[in-house]
């Protein structure tokens, strides 16, 4: 038996000390670009993102709509693996069909559908414009568009047909497949239109260009896109069906994969990494984890992991520590693993990025995790609270919430991630809970606010890049009395959309 002498510490137990802020160190000059896959020291990573925020591999978090929004903000989403291969592949394909500025056709209705059906489809899918096709299928010939602004249920009646309120294709602004985004936006502004339909020679809708997306594109100039200008998206895999799941996801265009497990220090993950490398070569990137110490990091790095996730039991929805007595404070885990990562880079010449997964309760914790050595932050609760997450929005006692559950909960029944039974599909005990989190509004606003805070922190610490931030950061452990004085000492009116 070995008992470490350290105290297991969380991110909230540390504060950063300011460094000199020079005239050149301003928020607009801070570059948050980060590496996501391993690379030779001194060379650029093959996959980098402009915003170091990743959405967790969770059914309650990473749906296609959220993946699109996060990629537009410069981050990356990991579509969850707790679903059939075909369903996960379709989620990935939906995001990849979304070229920057072009919204793919993913839903549709018949002209005979009712306005109530339109309202329900808009609520479920988040679509702002619903294509109307002859046969009601996405691949059918376009006959019109309808959106929430085209009707009012009380005025027009929920049972009225779509054909009565839709804008017919003859009244729509259209362009052929292949039109550039610049030309599409020019048409929208010149014709004072809100939407442009891109259709092929057979009259089938390919995508929509919305004028309001012009402002979004200008606001987020650093979208995560591949060489074909398609939005980037990642996906989770497991150690059970990876031989079927990985090739299907690669074919669908997934930019990055990650083995989804609460404990990554296992021969099963090493075998997955070896299998993928043998079948697909070095061009398919697979991350691994989770780990909490340097030994486990080196094990997965030697096995070929593209990146390593750090954190066990620190998630807001996770109960692994209570159920199994396994884990480590997130700060202690990050500091240990980052030290091992840096030593590994010196020894081998290979830099393996770290992803902080769990233990983040405040925006300030993200800055501290980045200073401790994380290259990116993976978040569940943070994104689950936004409009773009795939779960239902519910109202309780006048307060809006979003549903949120852990991958180890009874609701998820994720036996591919938590292998409690070898020969059954039952979950012997839960390692997560099922609950509600306060609704926090738009992901776009949340990410903008969070990244502005991180930039401000880095400026106070005299850094304009994440690498410089890690190298120059100075921290101090917070005492209990200091912790009590961290927050405001007046009565603060809480807002439901507070994201921190």
């Amino acid at each position: 038996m070995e008992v470490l002498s350290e105290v297991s510490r969380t991110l909230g137990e540390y504060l950063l000390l300011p460094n000199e802020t020079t005239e050149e160190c301003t928020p607009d000059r801070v570059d948050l670009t980060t590496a996501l896959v391993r690379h030779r020291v001194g060379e650029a990573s093959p996959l980098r993102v402009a915003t170091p925020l990743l959405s967790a591999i969770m059914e309650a978090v990473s749906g296609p709509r959220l993946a699109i929004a996060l990629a537009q903000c410069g981050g990356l989403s990991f579509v969850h693996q707790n679903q059939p291969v075909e369903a996960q592949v379709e989620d990935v394909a939906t995001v990849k069909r979304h070229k920057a500025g072009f919204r793919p056709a993913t839903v549709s209705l018949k002209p005979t559908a009712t306005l109530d059906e339109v309202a329900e489809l808009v609520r479920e899918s988040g679509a702002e414009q619903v294509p109307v096709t002859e046969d009601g299928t996405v691949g059918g010939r376009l006959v019109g568009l309808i959106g929430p602004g085209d009707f009012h249920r009380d005025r027009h009646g929920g049972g009225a047909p779509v054909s009565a309120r839709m804008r017919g294709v003859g009244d729509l602004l259209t362009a052929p497949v292949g039109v550039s985004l610049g030309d599409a936006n020019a048409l929208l502004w010149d014709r004072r239109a809100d939407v442009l339909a891109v259709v092929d020679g057979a009259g089938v809708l390919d995508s929509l260009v919305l004028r309001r997306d012009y402002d979004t594109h200008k606001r987020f100039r650093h979208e995560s896109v591949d060489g074909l200008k398609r939005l980037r998206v990642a996906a989770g895999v497991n150690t059970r069906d990876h031989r079927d799941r990985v090739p299907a996801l690669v074919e669908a265009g997934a930019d990055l994969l990650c083995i989804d497990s609460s404990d990554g220090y296992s021969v099963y993950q090493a075998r997955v990494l070896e299998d993928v490398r043998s079948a697909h070569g070095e061009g398919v990137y697979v991350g691994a984890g989770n780990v909490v110490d340097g030994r486990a990091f080196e094990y997965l790095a030697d096995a070929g992991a593209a990146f390593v996730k750090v954190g066990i039991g620190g998630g807001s929805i996770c109960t692994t520590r209570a159920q199994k007595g396994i884990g480590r404070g997130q700060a202690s885990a990050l500091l240990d693993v980052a030290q091992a990562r840096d030593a590994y880079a010196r020894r081998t010449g290979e830099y393996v990025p770290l992803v902080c997964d769990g233990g983040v309760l405040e925006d300030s914790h993200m800055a501290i995790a980045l200073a401790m050595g994380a290259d990116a932050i993976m978040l569940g609760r943070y994104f689950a609270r936004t409009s773009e997450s795939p779960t239902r929005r519910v109202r309780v006692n006048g307060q809006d919430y979003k549903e949120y559950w852990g991958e180890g909960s009874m609701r998820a029944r994720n036996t591919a991630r938590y292998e409690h039974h070898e020969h059954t599909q039952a979950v012997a005990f839960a390692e997560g809970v099922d609950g509600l989190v306060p609704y926090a509004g738009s992901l776009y606003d949340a990410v903008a606010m969070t990244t502005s805070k991180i930039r401000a922190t880095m400026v106070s610490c005299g850094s304009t890049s994440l690498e410089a931030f890690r190298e120059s950061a100075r921290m101090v452990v917070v005492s209990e009395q200091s912790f009590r004085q961290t927050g405001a000492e007046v009565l603060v009116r809480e807002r439901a959309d507070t994201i921190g």
Side-chain angles (χ1 to χ4, degrees), residues 72-397:
Q72 289 176 328
C73 294
L76 190 68
S77 184
F78 282 78
V79 175
H80 75 97
Q81 56 82 26
N82 191 25
Q83 58 181 323
V85 174
E86 297 77 14
Q88 189 183 23
V89 164
E90 179 55 32
D91 283 351
V92 169
T94 297
V95 182
K96 297 307 292 186
R97 285 194 295 265
H98 192 112
K99 281 194 173 184
F102 293 89
R103 296 188 176 211
T106 58
V107 296
S108 60
L109 287 170
K110 289 182 179 181
T112 54
T114 66
L115 297 181
D116 275 345
E117 290 179 85
V118 176
E120 179 66 15
L121 186 59
V122 168
R123 188 188 68 79
E124 290 181 350
S125 68
E128 297 180 37
Q129 299 288 337
V130 177
V132 184
T133 62
E134 284 184 333
D135 60 3
T137 66
V138 171
R141 192 172 71 87
L142 182 69
V143 296
L145 288 177
I146 190 168
D150 294 315
F151 66 95
H152 192 286
R153 188 181 184 281
D154 293 339
R155 184 179 182 88
H156 302 108
V162 166
S163 57
R165 297 303 305 169
M166 74 179 188
R167 286 154 289 149
V169 68
D171 298 323
L172 296 175
L173 179 62
T174 62
V177 173
V179 65
S180 69
L181 182 59
D183 288 344
N185 281 322
L187 283 169
L188 284 169
W189 287 103
D190 291 345
R191 297 281 295 275
R192 301 180 184 181
D194 293 324
V195 59
L196 177 143
V198 179
V199 296
D200 65 15
V204 174
L205 180 67
D206 175 79
S207 58
L208 297 174
V209 181
L210 304 186
R211 188 165 71 171
R212 83 169 190 86
D213 283 347
Y214 179 85
D215 293 330
T216 299
H217 186 65
K218 292 299 182 183
R219 180 182 177 188
F220 301 109
R221 294 177 177 272
H222 304 292
E223 294 174 315
S224 299
V225 295
D226 61 20
L228 299 176
K229 300 299 182 183
R230 302 176 301 176
L231 294 181
R232 289 195 183 277
V233 62
V237 297
N238 60 70
T239 59
R240 292 193 174 191
D241 65 5
H242 63 279
R243 289 185 177 89
D244 297 323
R245 193 173 293 268
V246 169
L249 291 169
V250 171
E251 178 67 21
D255 297 280
L256 183 60
L257 304 174
C258 182
I259 305 170
D260 183 25
S261 174
S262 62
D263 177 12
Y265 194 6
S266 76
V267 66
Y268 306 107
Q269 290 213 9
R271 287 173 182 169
V272 171
L273 295 170
E274 180 181 354
D275 287 348
V276 174
R277 189 165 57 251
S278 298
H280 303 280
E282 302 295 333
V284 174
Y285 306 113
V286 184
N290 286 17
V291 305
V292 292
D293 64 12
R295 293 184 313 161
F297 165 82
E298 290 186 7
Y299 179 83
L300 293 177
D302 285 340
F307 65 87
V308 174
K309 283 203 297 160
V310 181
I312 294 178
S316 63
I317 208 78
C318 181
T319 59
T320 295
R321 294 177 186 173
Q323 295 288 353
K324 297 169 63 177
I326 293 175
R328 194 178 194 181
Q330 191 68 359
S332 298
L334 265 178
L335 290 170
D336 189 0
V337 177
Q339 184 178 24
R341 184 267 314 278
D342 294 341
Y344 188 87
R346 290 191 296 269
R347 186 173 73 253
T348 66
E350 290 278 327
Y351 183 89
V352 181
L354 301 181
V355 172
C356 172
D357 181 19
V360 174
L361 299 179
E362 308 285 348
D363 287 349
S364 60
H365 294 170
M366 300 185 206
I368 291 170
L370 292 168
M372 286 181 170
D375 294 273
I377 313 294
M378 181 168 279
L379 301 158
R381 178 184 62 96
Y382 176 97
F383 288 119
R385 298 189 292 178
T386 65
S387 303
E388 292 78 7
S389 74
T391 61
R392 291 190 308 161
R393 180 175 164 184
V394 299
R395 181 170 284 264
V396 180
N397 296 328

